[in-house]
Amino acid sequence: MPPSVIVIGAGAGGITTAAHLAKHGFKVTVVEKCSDVGGRCSLIYNNGYRFDQGPSLLLMPEVFIKTFHDLGTCLEAEGVNLLKCAPNYRIWFSDGDSFQQSTDLAQMKSEIERYEGKEGFLRFLAFMQEAGRHYESSLTHVLRKNFPGFASMLRPELLAAFLRMHPFESIWARVSRYFESDKLRRVFTFASMYLGMNPFEAPGTYSLLQYSEVADGIWYPEGGFQKVLAALATVGKRLGVDYRLNSPVDKVLLSERQDRVTGVRLASGEELHADIVVVNADLIYAYNNLLPQTSYARSLQKRPASCSSISFFWSFDRIIPELQQHNIFLADEYQESFDAIFKRQELPKDPSFYVNVPSRLDPTAAPEGKDSVIVLVPIGHLTQGPASALSTSPENLDALVHRARECVFATIEARTGAKNLRERLVHEYVETPLTWKSKFNLDRGAILGLSHSFFNVLSFRPKTKHVDIHGLYFVGASTHPGTGVPVCLSGGKVVSDQIVGEWAEGKRSRLLSHLESILFLLMPLLLCGGLYLMQLSS
């Protein structure tokens, strides 16, 4: 009889893990609290307008291609149509200047030389070479490998690549070696926010994000990002995965000695039993709410976390031609804005923010002649600290939402020339740190889970397997290899390979144990038979 698995959560990591395990013959059930798959990669609809609640751009396309290929299919065969964003995005400065990032090297040469002169483009190529090494080394030695213990970090091939990945220097420090102008240093460092990290603290390794943007481009799945994960879920269903939506989990069930999983209990009271449980819910929430309380579970709540966001989902009654598909508005006080977010857990006085117009590339995102607009304003995560820190008070958050909204409107109009945005807004939906926490059980409302600082990655990051409870595994943003959809897809493959390998090893061990038991029972007969043969021969 095939081993049974319950996956808690239908986010990117859970969906991928489920499909891989089903392909290996496991009997898999996914239980999801929401009414659709995708987790934070869900869609919001309003009167013909569509919004991506989570990611709105697809990076590292080769990871998506490989994921589908490993499952015996491809994106195209599953109805996923990737649209290329060309140019990638526009970065807006307060002095009216802007920088257009593109995969077109001729265009990039022209843009870079405006700030860095003739030698600037050569320095850009050198930076891309370094960032490319970071990308390839990370894929090969980190995203596709597991790190179950500190000995895993002593692999010769990882050690050989380690220092070339510049983990002990910040992205800002590495970029500053190649670009002299403050504006281009900002252009090539803000992407650390994809990981919810401060570019003045994020390891230099993460320049791999800028490499992927320029070398592979930025893509958007037609119909919304959730379509990719829905397609993966469909592949899983074909392989035998059973999805149970609207089924929140109340508890992970354990054996009497609490050293082995036996299944899960749903909020409805129903119990589902299995040999293996894979948790794709927020890891810190799971340790502190679905499992027995431990000092380790409590310690996770003290680890550095990523930022949160105030996100606006706006329906406009007209097209806003001044905005591209992707737009970045950078703060004048660049470093101070990150200090406010990551050191004081505040909304910066002058925040940098991201504006996405999905209807610019995909007309199905808004009614004809109108625009859907998503604005992400990074903010500190929730804290129980002093009054100056971000508290859980709804009144405090309402005031911050109002300030963020007014800042965004004023900045867009001042820098792009767009007019009367407030008057043309017909509907608004807002997410805050409190709603991120309540909707997706995100610890501290941190939208990207635990930080990716050096002592929160590799063997330092929470493990993919519980150290004391047999049959309990974890996948998702806060466990290895980390956050972001392509990274969680890789994590799903890492965890499923671990489960398949350990189950096969356990099966061999159980078989050997059974053989030993049989031999033990047969030993008297064998001895008697041997003595009888010896007597006959004599």
Side-chain angles (χ1 to χ4, degrees):
M1 186 166 178
S4 56
V5 182
I6 293 173
V7 178
I8 304 174
I15 291 170
T16 309
T17 304
H20 282 297
L21 290 176
K23 186 182 178 187
H24 281 90
F26 288 60
K27 182 183 178 182
V28 185
T29 300
V30 178
V31 287
E32 165 59 44
K33 67 174 290 192
C34 297
S35 59
D36 210 340
V37 302
R40 277 160 274 181
C41 298
S42 53
L43 297 172
I44 299 171
Y45 295 93
N46 173 61
N47 293 327
Y49 296 86
R50 189 193 69 235
F51 308 91
D52 293 278
Q53 188 161 223
S56 54
L57 48 81
L58 188 149
L59 295 177
M60 304 173 69
E62 70 174 282
V63 176
F64 292 84
I65 293 168
K66 185 177 189 306
T67 298
F68 279 82
H69 178 267
D70 288 344
L71 293 169
T73 184
C74 63
L75 289 160
E76 295 79 8
E78 302 304 326
V80 178
N81 181 28
L82 296 183
L83 307 173
K84 185 175 183 181
C85 304
N88 288 349
Y89 47 73
R90 184 177 288 279
I91 300 168
W92 302 86
F93 301 101
S94 64
D95 60 1
D97 190 16
S98 65
F99 182 95
Q100 188 137 283
Q101 199 224 54
S102 172
T103 56
D104 184 331
L105 287 185
Q107 184 175 5
M108 287 292 283
K109 183 173 185 291
S110 175
E111 289 283 276
I112 288 168
E113 288 180 351
R114 286 198 292 124
Y115 302 94
E116 301 277 329
K118 292 294 183 183
E119 298 299 316
F121 186 67
L122 295 177
R123 293 196 299 274
F124 162 73
L125 293 177
F127 168 72
M128 285 293 291
Q129 186 176 38
E130 175 180 295
R133 286 197 299 270
H134 292 170
Y135 179 88
E136 295 298 337
S137 294
S138 296
L139 270 185
T140 303
H141 302 301
V142 179
L143 298 190
R144 294 171 182 164
K145 304 288 185 182
N146 208 342
F147 288 81
F150 289 107
S152 309
M153 295 175 62
L154 301 179
R155 296 170 184 148
E157 64 274 14
L158 174 63
L159 293 174
F162 192 66
L163 293 180
R164 294 198 303 272
M165 295 166 71
H166 302 102
F168 302 116
E169 292 182 80
S170 70
I171 290 180
W172 180 268
R174 293 308 305 174
V175 166
S176 296
R177 291 172 178 261
Y178 295 97
F179 301 105
E180 298 173 353
S181 65
D182 182 67
K183 283 184 177 177
L184 285 200
R185 289 175 178 179
R186 298 182 190 197
V187 164
F188 289 102
T189 57
F190 82 87
S192 65
M193 290 300 290
Y194 296 163
L195 299 173
M197 291 195 70
N198 183 346
F200 295 91
E201 297 176 350
T205 310
Y206 298 127
S207 64
L208 64 90
L209 296 165
Q210 284 86 353
Y211 173 80
S212 179
E213 288 180 337
V214 176
D216 298 320
I218 289 175
W219 301 80
Y220 182 72
E222 187 175 20
F225 207 108
Q226 193 260 357
K227 297 299 182 184
V228 178
L229 300 185
L232 269 178
T234 299
V235 173
K237 290 175 185 176
R238 283 205 307 268
L239 293 168
V241 178
D242 178 31
Y243 276 86
R244 295 188 57 170
L245 305 177
N246 300 304
S247 301
V249 171
D250 180 58
K251 184 180 181 181
V252 174
L253 299 176
L254 304 178
S255 62
E256 188 175 342
R257 295 173 59 183
Q258 296 196 333
D259 61 351
R260 176 175 57 85
V261 293
T262 60
V264 302
R265 186 178 70 203
L266 304 182
S268 64
E270 181 184 0
E271 293 187 355
L272 305 176
H273 297 281
D275 302 305
I276 295 166
V277 172
V278 181
V279 178
N280 184 219
D282 181 78
L283 180 132
I284 301 175
Y285 171 84
Y287 264 99
N288 284 279
N289 294 273
L290 304 182
L291 294 166
Q293 276 290 309
T294 63
S295 58
Y296 177 73
R298 290 187 292 272
S299 73
L300 290 174
Q301 296 174 311
K302 300 177 182 178
R303 287 205 184 195
S306 61
C307 66
S308 189
S309 78
I310 295 174
S311 297
F312 298 101
F313 304 88
W314 287 337
S315 303
F316 286 96
D317 66 0
R318 70 172 178 89
I319 289 175
I320 306 168
E322 295 85 357
L323 293 174
Q324 294 185 358
Q325 167 93 2
H326 302 291
N327 309 264
I328 308 292
F329 293 83
L330 294 181
D332 272 345
E333 298 298 325
Y334 191 63
Q335 185 166 1
E336 165 57 25
S337 70
F338 290 110
D339 286 346
I341 296 168
F342 294 98
K343 295 184 178 180
R344 301 192 297 275
Q345 305 305 326
E346 297 175 344
L347 173 66
K349 293 180 180 178
D350 174 28
S352 298
F353 59 91
Y354 162 70
V355 178
N356 169 236
V357 188
S359 48
R360 190 67 69 249
L361 185 63
D362 183 359
T364 66
E368 186 176 357
K370 301 176 182 180
D371 267 340
S372 51
V373 175
I374 303 163
V375 181
L376 190 155
V377 184
I379 188 172
H381 57 66
L382 296 171
T383 175
Q384 299 298 327
S388 60
L390 186 63
S391 74
T392 57
S393 163
E395 294 78 14
N396 181 39
L397 283 172
D398 286 344
L400 291 175
V401 167
H402 175 74
R403 181 156 68 87
R405 182 191 297 112
E406 292 305 306
C407 176
V408 169
F409 277 136
T411 302
I412 292 176
E413 292 185 351
R415 298 190 188 184
T416 71
K419 302 296 183 185
N420 303 317
L421 294 181
R422 294 171 184 82
E423 293 76 14
R424 309 310 293 267
L425 178 64
V426 296
H427 185 268
E428 176 186 82
Y429 177 80
V430 185
E431 295 281 15
T432 70
L434 269 182
T435 62
W436 290 121
K437 180 180 180 180
S438 63
K439 185 178 291 185
F440 297 108
N441 295 328
L442 301 181
D443 177 66
R444 289 168 276 181
I447 56 175
L448 293 161
L450 291 176
S451 167
H452 277 71
S453 55
F454 178 75
F455 289 105
N456 250 344
V457 296
L458 303 176
S459 294
F460 301 111
R461 203 164 185 82
K463 305 296 184 289
T464 55
K465 182 182 180 182
H466 199 286
V467 294
D468 297 318
I469 301 174
H470 179 72
L472 181 58
Y473 298 82
F474 301 90
V475 67
S478 290
T479 190
H480 176 77
T483 195
V485 177
V487 179
C488 288
L489 295 182
S490 296
K493 181 67 163 61
V494 167
V495 173
S496 60
D497 285 348
Q498 180 182 15
I499 292 170
V500 170
E502 291 179 354
W503 184 267
E505 183 179 337
K507 188 176 180 180
R508 286 193 295 271
S509 298
R510 289 189 296 273
L511 179 61
L512 288 172
S513 178
H514 289 323
L515 289 173
E516 289 174 356
S517 299
I518 292 169
L519 286 173
F520 180 77
L521 292 172
L522 292 177
M523 189 62 69
L525 292 174
L526 293 173
L527 287 173
C528 290
L531 290 172
Y532 178 70
L533 290 173
M534 289 174 63
Q535 289 176 350
L536 288 177
S537 62
S538 62

